Amino acid sequence: MRKITLSNGKTVEVSCLSCALTSGLIEPDGGVVFETNYFHAHQDVAYPIKGLIIVASKRHIKCFDELTEEEMIDYMQVLSKIRKAQRDVLGIEYVYYFYNEDTTHHFHTWMVPRYEWMHEFGRSVESVRPVLLYARKKMNTNENIQEVLAAIDSLANELKK
Ligand SMILES: [Zn+2]
């Protein structure tokens, strides 16, 4: 079990953070960006990067080959839809995708938009962690958080269409 402190200060104990999020037990800051029968998308505002989205399966699985055929099709559609919304609404030109199977949570894919300021951390997989840490430590300003939340809203609205 993991203890998680919610933004309202309450503490809950959950065995899997992804299950807690996709089941609605935990409401992510900024809310749910997009949802289907099989997948759930939100932003982790602890990493305040505009347009960063985490897509999690609703089933507690870890590996790609555990997806059912319906889930596979839905997964590609969900990623593509979100990707298009990132481009159309936020003008995001490139996205990095990160997914590891040995997670302590469950199946989830990070969609990390590329911005100019990230180039100094490298141009490939080695840049992902430094970029996320930099965002968490240095971009946690009120102004930036407001922008991130506004971006979540506009993505969510676009994805409702
Ligand atoms: Zn889970």
Side-chain angles (χ1 to χ4, degrees):
M1 296 294 263
R2 296 158 55 97
K3 271 207 170 129
I4 291 164
T5 306
L6 306 178
S7 53
N8 62 15
K10 277 190 191 158
T11 306
V12 291
E13 245 181 276
V14 295
S15 53
C16 172
L17 179 61
S18 307
C19 281
L21 277 163
T22 57
S23 71
L25 178 68
I26 294 177
E27 171 81 6
D29 289 333
V32 181
V33 172
F34 188 56
E35 198 169 13
T36 64
N37 286 339
Y38 306 109
F39 289 93
H40 174 285
H42 74 282
Q43 165 142 27
D44 185 349
V45 294
Y47 300 100
I49 295 170
K50 237 163 95 170
L52 180 153
I53 297 293
I54 296 171
V55 178
S57 65
K58 291 195 170 174
R59 276 199 311 133
H60 184 81
I61 53 169
K62 301 257 180 184
C63 300
F64 215 89
D65 56 332
E66 291 177 84
L67 292 170
T68 65
E69 206 159 313
E70 267 180 83
E71 285 169 337
M72 286 178 202
I73 293 164
D74 194 51
Y75 178 65
M76 292 315 292
Q77 286 175 343
V78 167
L79 287 183
S80 311
K81 263 189 193 166
I82 294 171
R83 179 63 191 93
K84 186 172 189 313
Q86 287 169 321
R87 186 189 309 284
D88 291 350
V89 176
L90 302 176
I92 291 166
E93 193 178 2
Y94 293 113
V95 168
Y96 282 23
Y97 301 82
F98 179 76
Y99 158 51
N100 59 314
E101 294 184 333
D102 59 347
T103 170
T104 57
H105 311 150
H106 74 228
F107 188 100
H108 66 286
T109 304
W110 293 71
M111 301 176 75
V112 186
R114 273 309 264 192
Y115 292 106
E116 285 281 316
W117 64 265
M118 297 174 176
H119 293 168
E120 65 177 284
F121 297 102
R123 283 203 172 257
S124 187
V125 63
E126 82 279 354
S127 68
V128 175
R129 184 174 156 79
V131 156
L132 291 175
L133 290 179
Y134 180 87
R136 196 168 72 187
K137 287 180 187 154
K138 308 277 184 184
M139 296 167 70
N140 214 340
T141 63
N142 223 333
E143 192 191 352
N144 187 46
I145 298 282
Q146 290 315 312
E147 275 186 38
V148 166
L149 290 172
I152 294 173
D153 274 349
S154 42
L155 283 178
N157 285 332
E158 178 72 12
L159 288 161
K160 265 185 215 138
K161 285 181 191 167

